[in-house]
Amino acid sequence: MSGLSQSTALKASALIGALGVALGAFGAHGLEELLIENGRVDTWETAAFYHLVHAVVLLVLATRERWLAGPWLALAAGVLIFSGSLYLLSLSNIGWLGAITPLGGLGLLAGWIWIGFGVKA
């Protein structure tokens, strides 16, 4: 489907997972005061939760014998847009960033639906 290799997806999955751990920890420790000031602790936690859950799914997809580039790309884009917009919203408190978040959610939904209905096991 795409030019994305399974090896590249595996490496990217690991980096996405590591970034999720780092951002979760940084939010809890290094950014706590800013997040409290902005009233965005819960927003950051939601971003990190979805980020990490979907990093695991990306890793599973990247290690399957039958490589599924389409769902992997949909989920990776979803993580970037969904969690990324929430991270930025938490740091900046720029409200319109929340309007971008549902687009990432659509990417996540598309990936899950693609896995469930578009792929033969």
Side-chain angles (χ1 to χ4, degrees), residues 6 8 12 17 24 29 33 73 78 93 98 100-101 109 119:
Q6 189 170 6
T8 300
H29 302 289
E33 286 184 31
L73 287 167
N93 232 5
I100 297 170
T101 306
L109 288 170
V119 175

Short mmCIF file of all heavy atoms in Angstrom, two decimals, residues 6 8 12 17 24 29 33 73 78 93 98 100-101 109 119:
data_model
loop_
_atom_site.label_atom_id
_atom_site.label_comp_id
_atom_site.label_asym_id
_atom_site.label_seq_id
_atom_site.Cartn_x
_atom_site.Cartn_y
_atom_site.Cartn_z
N GLN A 6 8.06 -2.32 7.11
CA GLN A 6 7.74 -2.85 8.43
C GLN A 6 8.85 -2.53 9.42
O GLN A 6 8.58 -2.19 10.58
CB GLN A 6 7.52 -4.36 8.33
CG GLN A 6 6.99 -4.98 9.59
CD GLN A 6 6.55 -6.41 9.39
OE1 GLN A 6 6.73 -7.01 8.34
NE2 GLN A 6 5.95 -6.99 10.42
N THR A 8 10.82 0.10 9.40
CA THR A 8 10.70 1.51 9.76
C THR A 8 9.54 1.72 10.72
O THR A 8 9.65 2.48 11.69
CB THR A 8 10.52 2.37 8.49
OG1 THR A 8 11.65 2.20 7.65
CG2 THR A 8 10.34 3.84 8.83
N ALA A 12 9.70 3.30 14.40
CA ALA A 12 8.86 4.46 14.71
C ALA A 12 7.93 4.15 15.88
O ALA A 12 7.71 5.00 16.74
CB ALA A 12 8.05 4.87 13.48
N GLY A 17 6.42 5.14 21.43
CA GLY A 17 6.23 4.67 22.78
C GLY A 17 7.15 5.36 23.77
O GLY A 17 6.73 5.80 24.85
N GLY A 24 4.69 11.77 29.33
CA GLY A 24 3.89 11.51 30.53
C GLY A 24 4.66 11.88 31.78
O GLY A 24 4.14 12.56 32.68
N HIS A 29 6.07 15.75 36.24
CA HIS A 29 7.13 16.28 37.09
C HIS A 29 7.62 17.66 36.65
O HIS A 29 7.64 18.59 37.45
CB HIS A 29 8.31 15.30 37.14
CG HIS A 29 7.89 13.95 37.65
ND1 HIS A 29 7.54 13.71 38.96
CD2 HIS A 29 7.75 12.77 37.00
CE1 HIS A 29 7.21 12.45 39.10
NE2 HIS A 29 7.33 11.85 37.93
N GLU A 33 3.48 22.52 37.49
CA GLU A 33 3.03 23.87 37.85
C GLU A 33 2.31 24.56 36.70
O GLU A 33 1.25 25.16 36.89
CB GLU A 33 4.20 24.72 38.32
CG GLU A 33 4.70 24.37 39.70
CD GLU A 33 5.81 25.30 40.17
OE1 GLU A 33 5.81 26.48 39.77
OE2 GLU A 33 6.68 24.82 40.92
N LEU A 73 -0.58 3.44 9.68
CA LEU A 73 -0.48 4.86 9.33
C LEU A 73 -1.65 5.66 9.89
O LEU A 73 -1.47 6.79 10.36
CB LEU A 73 -0.39 5.03 7.81
CG LEU A 73 0.94 4.62 7.19
CD1 LEU A 73 0.82 4.52 5.68
CD2 LEU A 73 2.03 5.61 7.58
N GLY A 78 -3.31 9.47 13.87
CA GLY A 78 -4.26 9.77 14.94
C GLY A 78 -3.56 10.15 16.23
O GLY A 78 -3.96 11.11 16.90
N ASN A 93 -2.64 26.75 26.28
CA ASN A 93 -4.00 27.16 26.65
C ASN A 93 -4.69 27.91 25.51
O ASN A 93 -5.58 28.71 25.74
CB ASN A 93 -4.01 27.99 27.94
CG ASN A 93 -4.99 27.43 28.95
OD1 ASN A 93 -5.60 26.39 28.73
ND2 ASN A 93 -5.15 28.12 30.06
N GLY A 98 -8.12 22.66 20.62
CA GLY A 98 -9.07 21.60 20.95
C GLY A 98 -9.95 21.21 19.78
O GLY A 98 -10.46 20.09 19.72
N ILE A 100 -8.90 20.74 16.81
CA ILE A 100 -8.12 19.84 15.96
C ILE A 100 -8.16 18.41 16.50
O ILE A 100 -8.10 17.44 15.74
CB ILE A 100 -6.66 20.34 15.87
CG1 ILE A 100 -6.62 21.71 15.20
CG2 ILE A 100 -5.77 19.34 15.13
CD1 ILE A 100 -5.27 22.38 15.29
N THR A 101 -8.31 18.29 17.79
CA THR A 101 -8.25 16.98 18.46
C THR A 101 -9.19 15.95 17.85
O THR A 101 -8.77 14.80 17.64
CB THR A 101 -8.52 17.15 19.97
OG1 THR A 101 -7.61 18.13 20.48
CG2 THR A 101 -8.34 15.85 20.71
N LEU A 109 -10.00 6.13 15.23
CA LEU A 109 -11.16 5.30 14.90
C LEU A 109 -10.98 4.58 13.58
O LEU A 109 -11.30 3.38 13.46
CB LEU A 109 -12.43 6.16 14.84
CG LEU A 109 -12.97 6.67 16.18
CD1 LEU A 109 -14.06 7.70 15.94
CD2 LEU A 109 -13.50 5.51 16.99
N VAL A 119 -9.35 -6.16 7.50
CA VAL A 119 -8.19 -7.02 7.42
C VAL A 119 -8.61 -8.45 7.77
O VAL A 119 -9.30 -8.68 8.76
CB VAL A 119 -7.10 -6.56 8.44
CG1 VAL A 119 -5.94 -7.52 8.46
CG2 VAL A 119 -6.65 -5.16 8.10
#
